[in-house]
Amino acid sequence: VQTSAGQFHADRIVLAGGVGTQAMLEAAGLHLPMDNEPGLILHTEPVAPVIDHLILSPEIHFWQKPDGAIIAGDDYGGGDMGEDLPDGPADLAARVLEKVQNRLPGIGPLNVDHIMLGVRPMPVDGFPAIGTPSGGDGLYIATMHSGITLGPLIGRLAAESIVDGIESDLLDPYRAARFN
């Protein structure tokens, strides 16, 4: 592997490059079609504890931190914020808060602490790409949108594959080689 710190040699390399995965693979002559998508993460000011787990619904996902802040994620359609949202990020934040409050009736008012707009790594079919790509002997890919949610499981299954040669059937639909 050639890096900015020099060249490194390894028997196996794990590429968990997020939105940079496609570019890094192309530099190695490999291909993984990506359709990275913009997204928003909203942080509320802390409120009294109301949930102790991640809530996933078709229109919103969120959880509550130990300090009481609620973290909510939503799609942002991309493009110019001014075009997509008449009032810019504040309009989107208000819609996200409304979705959270609809899922938590009685929570009371929520106030935005801050929002973050970013790009989510997304293989072109919308599903994780895990494992060795065709022609990528010695390379193991782990790229997906839900890296924080899926990270512990993917890390364990990747370690079992890399270290012990155990391939989990759970990952069969998500093998990186499906794109070749």
Side-chain angles (χ1 to χ4, degrees):
V1 175
Q2 183 65 43
T3 73
S4 60
Q7 192 173 66
F8 294 88
H9 299 275
D11 293 330
R12 297 285 295 221
I13 297 165
V14 176
L15 174 57
V19 297
T21 298
Q22 185 175 19
M24 288 185 268
L25 286 173
E26 286 174 356
L30 300 172
H31 181 68
L32 176 69
M34 298 286 288
D35 186 20
N36 299 325
E37 296 181 356
L40 171 134
I41 301 291
L42 177 139
H43 296 247
T44 70
E45 293 176 353
V47 295
V50 291
I51 55 174
D52 63 359
H53 57 279
L54 178 67
I55 295 180
L56 298 170
S57 71
E59 72 280 351
I60 190 87
H61 58 277
F62 58 94
W63 61 285
Q64 190 169 26
K65 292 173 48 177
D67 72 359
I70 293 178
I71 313 302
D74 197 6
D75 292 339
Y76 158 54
D80 181 348
M81 289 292 288
E83 285 178 21
D84 288 357
L85 305 166
D87 298 324
D91 183 45
L92 181 56
R95 287 191 286 179
V96 170
L97 283 179
E98 181 180 3
K99 290 176 183 180
V100 171
Q101 289 181 301
N102 287 341
R103 291 287 176 183
L104 297 173
I107 191 172
L110 292 173
N111 297 307
V112 175
D113 182 57
H114 64 281
I115 62 172
M116 300 182 303
L117 293 174
V119 181
R120 303 175 303 174
M122 187 77 66
V124 72
D125 64 2
F127 295 104
I130 312 293
T132 302
S134 295
D137 294 339
L139 178 63
Y140 194 96
I141 296 173
T143 191
M144 67 208 76
H145 164 235
S146 302
I148 289 176
T149 306
L150 296 174
L153 174 63
I154 298 302
R156 182 176 59 82
L157 296 177
E160 288 174 358
S161 173
I162 294 165
V163 174
D164 300 324
I166 298 170
E167 299 295 337
S168 171
D169 294 344
L170 290 173
L171 295 179
D172 286 348
Y174 311 108
R175 301 279 177 210
R178 75 182 183 272
F179 294 108
N180 299 85

